Amino acid sequence: MKKLTSIIFVFFYLLKFGFAGEGMWIPMLLEQLNEPEMKSMGMRISAEDIYSINKSSLKDAILLFGRGCTAEIISDEGLILTNHHCGYGQIQKHSSLENDYLTTGFWAMERSQELPNPGLSVTLLVRMEDVTKQILEGVTAEMTEQARSEKIKANTGKVEKAASEGTGYAAKVKAFYYGNEYYLFITQTFNDVRLVGAPPSNIGKFGGDTDNWMWPRHTGDFSMFRIYVNKNNEPAEYSPDNVPYKPKSHLPISLKGVEKGDFTFVFGYPGSTQEYLPSFAIDMITGVENPPAIRLREKRLGIFDSYMKQSDLVRIQYSDKYAGVANYWKKMIGENRGIRKLDAIEKKQELERRFSAWAMADATRSERYGQLLPRFEKLYNQLKPISETETYLIEGGLGIEALRYAYGFRQLVAKSSDKNTPDDEIGKIVGQLTASSANFFRNYNQSVDRDVFASLMADWIEHQEQSKIPSAIVQGAIVYNNDYETWANKLYTESIFTDSTRVKKLLDRYSVRKFKKIEADPMFQLALSVYDHYFSQIQPESQMISSELDSLQRVYMQGLMEFQTDKRFYPDANSTLRVTYGKVDDYYPRDAVYYKYYTTLEGIMEKEDPAIYDYVVEPRLKQLYAEKDYGHYGAKDGTMRIAFIGSNHTTGGNSGSPVLNADGQLVGVNFDRNWEGTMSDLMYDPDQCRNISLDIRYCLFIIDKFAGAGHLVKEMTIVD
Ligand code: ARG
Ligand code: ASP
């Protein structure tokens, strides 16, 4: 009976609203909120197969990878799969001019060749729990915002402690729906994660930043790692004695591929979305924050690029930095375009008008919600100039590598100038700085940074009033009469922090008196001025306004849920495990243009350009293409499928997430979104938003046929 009612419910629901593709859903609530719809779309497994605490389920194979990607376990020996761009930092760290794995790729042909990655960890979700009641215990509507957050903090501490004590697991409570609900996450983290394989960049990053955020796409965006544990199958720090992890579950892989209309779901860790912001916020993000950030990033990228083209060493040193800066640079451009094209601000305003009218129609409601929007407007107007300055500080000031690095010496100065500091404490700080300096200079080029400095300072002085710019920067511009080249040359020749031998000299025989040298250093002084400006002029006000906005947003969220009773609300992404589902689907990006839902190896050959780094095609790949030697990885129509798109609502952090079919088998690896859909973090448009996935068959083809690492495929569970 229950089943029948839910089927009828879904039927009418879909009839009324259609399937929108929008939403990032909470795994433990799928059965209640989504299972009927997922089944009506073709899913053959159950919500319990996806998330269960009673038996092993797909969730036991899903990992948070590093600081912000997803990975999945694909063998019973702890083999894991993620994107090339997620493992990029690790691949880069193992690369040198002699062993340029970025260019050539890397394949461990046996376990002993798998490379450790200190600092990299992966995390499994053991279980989650709704703890809203415990967290909001003692919280009343009359409380001040501060009293409320103190109460919540105390409750959170209690819940987390009770849940983790004696378990060996970590416990963390996270707020959902802007603090209207709270969930507890019990997790297990593994710290010995080794690099197993990565294709050359002209496969793993094919199309580079030119194709990034774009469809049609031909990037073989994957890399592989393995989790190692101690003899008891427990997480452990790296040790040569560690052994491959035996997981509770790993994903079966299907070679059947996908066709238009097929049900798929993406299971992973979306980082952050802001779907319920008022129009004023969208106006601020797209009008005040994005434009200077885009411009300042463009300047940095231009300089990186010109040096990277001239030197292989600089190319290796800056490849990861370049990718990071370029990624959100392009995303912001796409986001602004998408918001405009969608009339997102107008749509929000229209919703706000209806919301206000609804609120005003009832005395209780109008008391609770009537003043929300005017208050939002007032606060965002106050926040705009602050957030503009914050953008310049981050994208301008902190875009200078040596400045950020020099700031790391402030503790040494403080401790050295304090007579009560024991010697060994100084020794410890010097030791840490020596290690971090070695890391810093390994990927640092003084000329690049010097040019970046000159360019960013000129931009900043040109665009903001003096009172908003850190005083040392204003001073410098005056002293050098706006000749930024001369200023930069002098600064970079004089400062200790732009040269590894000068730093070495400072640290190698450090004595406390030397703090005066650091204090007098021009880069150190600039750094202090930039950070001081932030801490004194920006942070206090920005925090005050943000905390007021948070509480408004919490009430607004509640109001929206009351107002739109027939809408299913999903919580904004917050780096917790989510399920998003949709269908494999094509789209019409512009007038008269149609985009098919998949790409093939033919497209790689079409894009081939030996003169452009990002479009070089390896001879080996060309040979396989010419011979159509696709093994059992080719599609039925004889093509080699590379990537496909669908209406799964994803965001940053979903990269590396498994894309699963109706039977819960791995068919792809999520890695990007399309250009027309980059605004989906602020507003989702089912018509235009698509996630981009690597076809798992291309991935296996590269491992097996291209790299000759078939032993890895043998470990996997292939179902066809
Ligand atoms: N746009 C994708 C995501 O946001 C992939 C970016 C990595 N690739 C690059 N060319 N920068 O992470
Ligand atoms: N490329 C993104 C990531 O790294 C995914 C996205 O933003 O769609 O998570």
Side-chain angles (χ1 to χ4, degrees):
M1 191 57 205
K2 194 174 137 220
K3 220 176 192 155
L4 191 66
T5 353
S6 58
I7 290 172
I8 294 172
F9 169 79
V10 168
F11 180 76
F12 284 107
Y13 186 89
L14 289 177
L15 207 65
K16 191 161 170 208
F17 302 103
F19 171 69
E22 179 170 357
M24 306 170 161
W25 304 95
I26 301 178
M28 67 172 270
L29 300 182
L30 283 183
E31 185 172 347
Q32 192 183 323
L33 285 177
N34 311 91
E35 190 183 50
E37 182 181 57
M38 293 169 91
K39 289 203 159 156
S40 79
M41 292 169 69
M43 185 172 79
R44 284 184 288 266
I45 58 172
S46 67
E48 175 90 0
D49 294 325
I50 299 175
Y51 176 90
S52 170
I53 47 170
N54 304 314
K55 55 168 201 166
S56 76
S57 56
L58 293 175
K59 82 142 194 346
D60 300 314
I62 314 300
L63 302 156
L64 175 70
F65 180 90
R67 254 161 299 171
C69 274
T70 305
E72 50 277 5
I73 306 178
I74 52 166
S75 90
D76 60 2
E77 294 180 272
L79 186 63
I80 68 179
L81 182 62
T82 186
N83 289 144
H84 186 262
H85 80 261
C86 294
Y88 202 67
Q90 279 73 39
I91 305 167
Q92 195 261 352
K93 276 195 202 120
H94 291 296
S95 294
S96 59
L97 284 171
E98 302 75 52
N99 283 320
D100 184 359
Y101 298 138
L102 284 175
T103 302
T104 60
F106 169 80
W107 301 98
M109 288 303 170
E110 47 188 84
R111 298 278 157 90
S112 64
Q113 295 168 349
E114 299 180 350
L115 299 171
N117 300 286
L120 174 66
S121 64
V122 294
T123 299
L124 262 184
L125 175 65
V126 178
R127 67 185 159 83
M128 61 180 295
E129 230 176 86
D130 183 349
V131 290
T132 311
K133 264 215 198 83
Q134 292 97 299
I135 300 298
L136 293 182
E137 198 179 297
V139 170
T140 62
E142 296 73 40
M143 269 180 163
T144 63
E145 211 37 51
Q146 199 190 341
R148 179 191 161 95
S149 72
E150 274 161 21
K151 185 88 212 154
I152 288 177
K153 206 168 150 201
N155 289 347
T156 299
K158 266 190 256 160
V159 169
E160 288 176 348
K161 190 157 175 248
S164 60
E165 229 163 18
T167 63
Y169 295 141
K172 180 119 197 88
V173 172
K174 290 230 186 187
F176 284 66
Y177 301 105
Y178 296 93
N180 285 296
E181 290 180 18
Y182 289 86
Y183 289 83
L184 168 70
F185 295 85
I186 309 289
T187 58
Q188 184 177 35
T189 295
F190 300 85
N191 289 317
D192 186 354
V193 184
R194 304 188 195 168
L195 178 63
V196 173
S201 286
N202 57 26
I203 289 175
K205 209 182 169 199
F206 184 79
D209 288 294
T210 319
D211 283 11
N212 190 21
W213 297 110
M214 301 268 204
W215 180 255
R217 190 68 156 277
H218 300 86
T219 313
D221 199 343
F222 77 94
S223 60
M224 298 169 90
F225 290 78
R226 190 186 305 280
I227 304 175
Y228 280 78
V229 288
N230 68 18
K231 300 255 152 51
N232 304 323
N233 207 31
E234 292 157 352
E237 290 307 314
Y238 169 81
S239 153
D241 300 332
N242 283 351
V243 294
Y245 172 57
K246 293 259 167 253
K248 258 166 87 182
S249 120
H250 68 276
L251 302 182
I253 298 175
S254 166
L255 297 182
K256 273 207 224 93
V258 290
E259 298 304 336
K260 184 175 165 170
D262 282 358
F263 171 81
T264 54
F265 65 105
V266 176
F267 202 4
Y269 281 91
S272 129
T273 58
Q274 300 176 289
E275 311 285 350
Y276 306 104
L277 292 180
S279 57
F280 319 106
I282 311 295
D283 189 43
M284 180 180 82
I285 294 169
T286 56
V288 175
E289 295 176 348
N290 285 355
I294 292 168
R295 206 183 54 243
L296 289 163
R297 282 185 178 222
E298 209 151 277
K299 300 210 151 136
R300 262 202 285 170
L301 290 170
I303 295 164
F304 286 1
D305 186 52
S306 67
Y307 281 94
M308 285 166 78
K309 281 205 181 101
Q310 286 167 32
S311 144
D312 275 339
L313 178 63
V314 179
R315 177 179 56 74
I316 294 174
Q317 288 176 320
Y318 278 75
S319 53
D320 194 31
K321 298 180 200 175
Y322 187 98
V325 177
N327 195 33
Y328 271 71
W329 161 73
K330 199 162 174 187
K331 156 91 192 291
M332 287 185 270
I333 299 175
E335 185 170 83
N336 269 21
R337 288 175 48 142
I339 290 292
R340 225 177 304 126
K341 191 166 170 212
L342 190 55
D343 288 327
I345 296 182
E346 293 71 16
K347 285 199 171 108
K348 293 252 179 197
Q349 286 168 341
E350 154 64 17
L351 171 72
E352 287 157 12
R353 271 193 294 277
R354 285 190 290 119
F355 176 80
S356 299
W358 166 84
M360 291 309 181
D362 172 284
T364 351
R365 288 202 305 250
S366 82
E367 195 187 326
R368 189 154 169 70
Y369 304 123
Q371 281 312 302
L372 269 183
L373 288 155
R375 285 181 63 200
F376 265 132
E377 182 170 17
K378 191 165 153 250
L379 285 171
Y380 275 107
N381 280 336
Q382 284 173 15
L383 189 60
K384 271 183 188 172
I386 299 169
S387 119
E388 183 195 30
T389 298
E390 199 172 342
T391 305
Y392 277 95
L393 284 167
I394 293 169
E395 301 287 343
L398 304 192
I400 298 154
E401 294 178 71
L403 189 147
R404 264 183 283 139
Y405 167 64
Y407 192 63
F409 283 71
R410 71 195 179 287
Q411 202 201 2
L412 182 59
V413 171
K415 293 286 177 188
S416 302
S417 56
D418 175 357
K419 287 192 193 64
N420 298 324
T421 313
D423 283 353
D424 57 343
E425 200 178 332
I426 301 279
K428 210 169 128 206
I429 299 175
V430 170
Q432 282 161 354
L433 285 171
T434 306
S436 62
S437 298
N439 273 333
F440 174 77
F441 283 109
R442 205 160 63 88
N443 288 326
Y444 180 74
N445 180 289
Q446 193 195 87
S447 310
V448 173
D449 200 36
R450 182 199 57 212
D451 288 7
V452 166
F453 174 83
S455 164
L456 297 190
M457 292 306 106
D459 185 285
W460 199 347
I461 296 281
E462 185 191 333
H463 286 95
Q464 272 208 310
E465 302 157 25
Q466 286 196 357
S467 64
K468 295 184 170 175
I469 304 178
S471 57
I473 291 178
V474 176
Q475 277 309 311
I478 293 170
V479 170
Y480 289 92
N481 204 7
N482 294 3
D483 177 353
Y484 299 96
E485 296 292 319
T486 308
W487 180 11
N489 280 333
K490 192 131 193 301
L491 174 66
Y492 279 72
T493 347
E494 279 177 5
S495 169
I496 304 168
F497 301 104
T498 53
D499 180 273
S500 60
T501 44
R502 292 198 281 261
V503 171
K504 197 163 165 2
K505 208 174 130 215
L506 171 78
L507 292 178
D508 272 0
R509 278 193 317 276
Y510 187 79
S511 66
V512 285
R513 276 187 332 252
K514 286 197 185 164
F515 84 85
K516 291 230 160 81
K517 270 185 94 165
I518 304 178
E519 256 184 349
D521 188 275
M523 188 62 85
F524 185 72
Q525 288 176 355
L526 273 178
L528 287 188
S529 172
V530 166
Y531 280 91
D532 282 352
H533 193 85
Y534 174 75
F535 289 122
S536 63
Q537 313 281 313
I538 302 299
Q539 199 197 33
E541 226 183 319
S542 135
Q543 260 180 9
M544 215 170 66
I545 299 176
S546 304
S547 103
E548 263 188 77
L549 282 173
D550 286 348
S551 70
L552 287 190
Q553 192 69 48
R554 183 180 71 240
V555 179
Y556 186 43
M557 187 79 235
Q558 210 178 44
L560 285 173
M561 289 167 128
E562 246 175 75
F563 170 52
Q564 297 168 297
T565 41
D566 46 12
K567 188 174 155 155
R568 248 180 333 174
F569 284 85
Y570 60 94
D572 266 321
N574 59 356
S575 297
T576 59
L577 188 60
R578 302 291 178 91
V579 171
T580 124
Y581 51 95
K583 288 188 169 182
V584 175
D585 204 2
D586 47 23
Y587 73 110
Y588 294 83
R590 305 182 280 288
D591 190 30
V593 182
Y594 166 69
Y595 280 157
K596 217 161 149 164
Y597 65 93
Y598 67 89
T599 56
T600 65
L601 194 47
E602 270 71 21
I604 293 187
M605 304 316 298
E606 272 173 16
K607 282 181 177 173
E608 182 189 16
D609 185 344
I612 302 177
Y613 186 77
D614 291 332
Y615 293 101
V616 172
V617 181
E618 296 274 317
R620 171 90 188 119
L621 187 57
K622 278 201 255 190
Q623 187 193 350
L624 290 165
Y625 169 72
E627 292 165 3
K628 298 278 171 291
D629 185 5
Y630 301 157
H632 50 314
Y633 307 117
K636 274 203 243 46
D637 60 7
T639 60
M640 170 52 65
R641 303 280 178 97
I642 308 295
F644 62 90
I645 49 173
S647 53
N648 302 285
H649 186 186
T650 53
T651 185
N654 268 124
S655 272
S657 301
V659 183
L660 300 134
N661 66 12
D663 297 306
Q665 300 156 342
L666 187 67
V667 287
V669 186
N670 185 76
F671 70 94
D672 210 0
R673 277 170 283 164
N674 62 332
W675 186 237
E676 296 76 15
T678 36
M679 71 302 187
S680 66
D681 295 344
L682 301 174
M683 191 185 274
Y684 187 87
D685 177 8
D687 222 41
Q688 293 294 306
C689 292
R690 297 289 176 267
N691 70 313
I692 305 180
S693 309
L694 169 69
D695 194 306
I696 197 68
R697 293 170 296 181
Y698 181 54
C699 171
L700 297 185
F701 162 77
I702 292 295
I703 298 171
D704 189 352
K705 289 279 181 178
F706 174 86
H711 61 285
L712 295 173
V713 178
K714 284 215 183 77
E715 267 187 55
M716 306 172 193
T717 304
I718 311 274
V719 291
D720 39 19

